Amino acid sequence: MTRFPLEITEKNYVTFPFFKNDKLLSDSPLCGMSIKAAGSMRFRWNETNENRDKFLKALCEQNGLKALPVELIHSKIVYDIKEGNEADGRQGDGMITCLKEYLPVVTVADCMPVYLYESESGLFGVVHSGWKGTGIIGEAINLAEKNYGVRAENFSVVLGPHIRKCCYIVNQERADYFAENFSPDCVEKLEEGGSCSAGGRGLAVNWNSGSGKLYRLSLEKANLAVLKKAGVPDENIAVCSDCTCCNEKLGSNRRETAEFSARFPNASSDQLSKSFTVQAAFCGWIK
Ligand SMILES: [Zn+2]
């Protein structure tokens, strides 16, 4: 497995490559994500977001691509794009395709974007893997195997920037769900006085604690367990080491919501739900 940090430049997005046999792949699609400076990439079919439209238009024009959006719903639904219109007007959380002229785009804000590529068929894609959707990368690989006759062992997968266990503090119920469904080692009990970066700065982070114990959750470990089960070799997996909640150049649901509620203690739940920077995660033939 390869671990890499993000290289944030003057651009308003980051890109990173796929790896196979622990070697960087060239002549392959790239993985990418907008950063906080790019502004909100929130997407709903019935809403307009001029900021997002402008960002994707520039990115697509530079690369001769067409953006393929989908409205996320924290599901495990993945669309196979064979014509280009399969996800139009649809809700779901991932797309795969062999069509080089398209750029599948999902949205994330602490949730993990997971990118996949299979070199023989040229199949590539991206999925949004939040806590509810963890396992969606397994669904995407199954769908590709079924529709294209490709094999899991030939996939390259990148676990993109997400909230890491330094900051992802969850309640007993969520910890139990992950320990049972993915791997017991993806949760660990929160140490005495432990906190996340936003909590450490005195911001009130909503940990959904209830009255029970708190845990640190590793979405990386949960997704590695999914990939192991699917049959993707360790040496074809790369993991971004940046945490969206720690790195202030990235949008983060937990950090930015805590910052917003510190400034506006009477904010409504609707205002809070729009107070963080939703980022666009995309995969395709970007130069
Ligand atoms: Zn962190």
Side-chain angles (χ1 to χ4, degrees):
M1 193 178 72
T2 305
R3 259 176 216 287
F4 64 92
L6 289 179
E7 283 176 36
I8 297 181
T9 63
E10 73 288 348
K11 285 184 186 167
N12 58 1
Y13 62 92
V14 284
T15 57
F16 32 96
F18 286 101
F19 289 78
K20 195 168 186 192
N21 299 320
D22 287 324
K23 287 193 192 78
L24 190 149
L25 283 183
S26 53
D27 195 30
S28 61
L30 281 179
C31 314
M33 193 180 83
S34 64
I35 62 172
K36 191 180 168 191
S40 175
M41 297 291 148
R42 187 181 147 101
F43 178 74
R44 295 274 176 265
W45 289 109
N46 63 1
E47 285 177 7
T48 48
N49 180 343
E50 283 172 19
N51 182 61
R52 173 188 164 105
D53 293 347
K54 211 172 109 192
F55 173 84
L56 288 177
K57 188 167 177 254
L59 183 65
C60 287
E61 273 178 4
Q62 278 164 32
N63 295 284
L65 300 173
K66 281 177 266 185
L68 273 180
V70 70
E71 183 174 315
L72 79 87
I73 49 170
H74 297 270
S75 68
K76 292 180 194 164
I77 299 169
V78 180
Y79 293 99
D80 178 12
I81 309 297
K82 287 183 163 160
E83 305 285 339
N85 59 0
E86 289 86 347
D88 285 3
R90 301 291 186 89
Q91 294 181 317
D93 292 83
M95 283 166 283
I96 56 169
T97 190
C98 289
L99 303 174
K100 286 176 119 172
E101 66 269 35
Y102 285 105
L103 184 73
V105 186
V106 297
T107 51
V108 283
D110 284 344
C111 293
M112 185 195 285
V114 188
Y115 307 84
L116 66 163
Y117 173 56
E118 201 278 334
S119 56
E120 278 171 27
S121 60
L123 182 133
F124 61 97
V126 60
V127 302
H128 156 257
S129 184
W131 78 265
K132 283 184 201 159
T134 301
I136 185 174
I137 184 60
E139 302 288 324
I141 290 168
N142 287 345
L143 183 67
E145 287 180 314
K146 191 172 104 210
N147 291 4
Y148 295 89
V150 292
R151 290 167 300 126
E153 62 258 36
N154 203 38
F155 271 87
S156 297
V157 176
V158 177
L159 306 185
H162 62 283
I163 186 167
R164 299 183 61 81
K165 72 169 187 182
C166 44
C167 294
Y168 198 17
I169 297 163
V170 301
N171 63 17
Q172 179 93 54
E173 190 186 352
R174 199 175 295 187
D176 288 347
Y177 171 78
F178 273 84
E180 281 161 27
N181 288 283
F182 300 102
S183 147
D185 74 344
C186 63
V187 294
E188 49 191 73
K189 213 179 266 174
L190 183 66
E191 65 284 2
E192 190 74 35
S195 188
C196 71
S197 64
R201 287 161 47 211
L203 295 167
V205 181
N206 176 15
W207 290 330
N208 306 311
S209 60
S211 55
K213 294 192 186 85
L214 293 170
Y215 294 81
R216 292 188 182 278
L217 170 57
S218 168
L219 290 175
E220 173 188 321
K221 283 188 175 157
N223 277 280
L224 290 177
V226 173
L227 292 174
K228 191 173 184 183
K229 199 172 159 196
V232 179
D234 213 39
E235 57 270 25
N236 293 358
I237 301 171
V239 180
C240 174
S241 54
D242 285 61
C243 168
T244 48
C245 193
C246 288
N247 187 337
E248 301 203 8
K249 290 193 167 165
L250 304 176
S252 165
N253 182 336
R254 288 205 175 193
R255 187 192 69 243
E256 293 181 277
T257 305
E259 285 166 350
F260 188 81
S261 51
R263 283 174 60 206
F264 306 102
N266 301 319
S268 68
S269 58
D270 185 54
Q271 286 170 320
L272 285 172
S273 75
K274 289 176 182 160
S275 67
F276 56 90
T277 314
V278 173
Q279 295 164 122
F282 45 87
C283 181
W285 289 85
I286 300 162
K287 291 180 224 41

